[in-house]
Amino acid sequence: MEFNFIVGKLLLKNGTEKNIGGFLELKKAQEYVETIHFDYLYSVAFFVDSPEGRYYFGEDRKGKKRWYSPEEREQVLVYDCSMDEIRELADVVIGKK
């Protein structure tokens, strides 16, 4: 079976990626992430790879969870538990390499 939407996680401390599931619909992949993200204690950023690009599950400046579209990839914000603040994903991952 071929999946169009692959759920993965990105470890914030070193930038390592790991795929964790495949789905036929974007909505189902996003619902899965929204269900499991509480289990990871903010040490990872979740994403969904799709034919049109990568969707990230992050936060806004107020700490509210949201999805970032592939066009917004430069603007992705995540909670960095090591600094106890919301930061840009690129700064969190690149800053620790």
Side-chain angles (χ1 to χ4, degrees), residues 7-22:
V7 171
K9 62 182 180 178
L10 171 68
L11 299 177
L12 298 180
K13 65 180 178 178
N14 62 15
T16 303
E17 294 182 4
K18 182 177 181 181
N19 293 335
I20 56 176

Side-chain angles (χ1 to χ4, degrees), residues 23 26-36 48 67:
F23 295 85
L26 177 60
K27 182 176 172 127
K28 295 291 183 189
Q30 289 176 327
E31 288 173 353
Y32 175 72
V33 168
E34 291 168 10
T35 302
I36 67 164
V48 175
W67 282 98

Side-chain angles (χ1 to χ4, degrees), residues 39-95:
D39 297 336
Y40 287 85
L41 300 174
Y42 298 102
S43 60
V44 301
F46 287 98
F47 59 85
V48 175
D49 279 331
S50 72
E52 58 270 356
R54 183 172 279 186
Y55 292 84
Y56 279 99
F57 189 60
E59 305 200 18
D60 63 15
R61 289 281 178 199
K62 296 178 182 176
K64 184 178 178 187
K65 296 289 186 190
R66 67 165 286 219
W67 282 98
Y68 288 88
S69 70
E71 297 81 29
E72 299 175 298
R73 80 175 212 198
E74 300 297 323
Q75 304 165 19
V76 177
L77 301 174
V78 295
Y79 177 74
D80 181 2
C81 63
S82 68
M83 297 189 75
D84 192 29
E85 65 183 25
I86 296 170
R87 300 177 61 199
E88 292 182 16
L89 180 62
D91 290 344
V92 175
V93 175
I94 295 168

